[in-house]
Amino acid sequence: MSHQLSVIGTGVIGNGWIARALAQGWDVVAFDPAPNAVERTRAFVDNAWPSLEKLGLAEGAAPTRLTFVDSLEEAVAGADLVQENVPERLELKREILAAIDAAAAPGAIIGSSTSGFKPSDLQRDCRWVPGRVIVAHPFNPVYLLPLVELVGGEATEPRQIEQAQALYQELAMRPLVVRREIEGHIADRLMEALWREALHLVNDGVATTEEVDAAVVYGCGLRWSLMGTFLTFHLAGGEQGMRHMLEQFGPALKLPWTKLEAPKLTDELIDKVVEGCEFQAADRPVAELDRRRDDFLVELLDLVQKYWPEAEGLEGRI
């Protein structure tokens, strides 16, 4: 059965959704009033397609199944799933989501790619089927990384979340249903904590951006790609697991090891971060770094999928 994804807003995230859906054999209809949006999207898909081919295309997958239209209303007509990706401004998102809600078929799910807003706030101006307007927050590059955080709002019914789960699974994603609304959801709150601490380390002259990244790339990041934070610490406790780890290292939580409040973003700190990142980039354009990242992720996904829960016979796990 063929599905249609409608994409409203075709920046980096919107284009990522487009590339993923096309690779899964979906029809995609897109709308973005920005100049050159069509050309930018087609160039984005062309750049992503070799990685998607390596990962494996679904039957019928083709870039030609993408259609651009001239209005939001035309874009969402016939959609099974609508993905909103407009800039992260609450009033703008409310306005666009209300227009989508009024134009889309009643049975369509409407997902917002918002990284921080709560779905109840997004649903507020929707008058038709507000409960189907949910947070569906992905991670860049959307066409390769499988996680999507699903968050329902006050008007959302369990069946609507279940319908959303099924649709995103058909896009070869791994939906993570967030149990209750919170700004920043789950993953961005974790990344924000690391980001704030990283800024302090650079600001205080403890490390350069390259050295902070090396601490993640060659250490904890390798473990996190398979086990995450909690299971990693469970193993750190030896045979007794997490209980022993907490007994042994729990007191360290009282020590001033971290500074979770962000440092002031002074011109000096901005210069340090920008210069550090430019040094790491080594004059390579972003498109080249994108391709390098994608090649790495394709090979990594091929490896880690052999160790995911279902490969061990642990069905029903995330």
Side-chain angles (χ1 to χ4, degrees), residues 64-80:
T64 54
R65 296 182 72 166
L66 167 63
T67 303
F68 264 84
V69 293
D70 296 326
S71 71
L72 179 150
E73 290 75 17
E74 188 179 357
V76 304
D80 300 289

Side-chain angles (χ1 to χ4, degrees), residues 85-108:
N85 315 281
V86 302
E88 199 79 351
R89 300 198 300 272
L90 183 57
E91 293 305 319
L92 175 62
K93 284 187 177 289
R94 280 183 182 167
E95 177 186 347
I96 296 299
L97 288 166
I100 295 171
D101 179 46

Side-chain angles (χ1 to χ4, degrees), residues 210 274-286 288-289:
E210 181 184 39
V274 170
E275 290 166 9
C277 290
E278 288 176 348
F279 174 77
Q280 289 177 260
D283 294 325
R284 291 168 293 178
V286 169
E288 181 182 336
L289 295 174

Side-chain angles (χ1 to χ4, degrees), residues 301-317:
L301 284 166
D302 185 54
L303 171 64
V304 296
Q305 285 173 7
K306 299 172 185 176
Y307 294 88
W308 280 353
E310 60 269 28
E312 297 181 89
L314 298 173
E315 298 299 333
R317 305 291 183 91

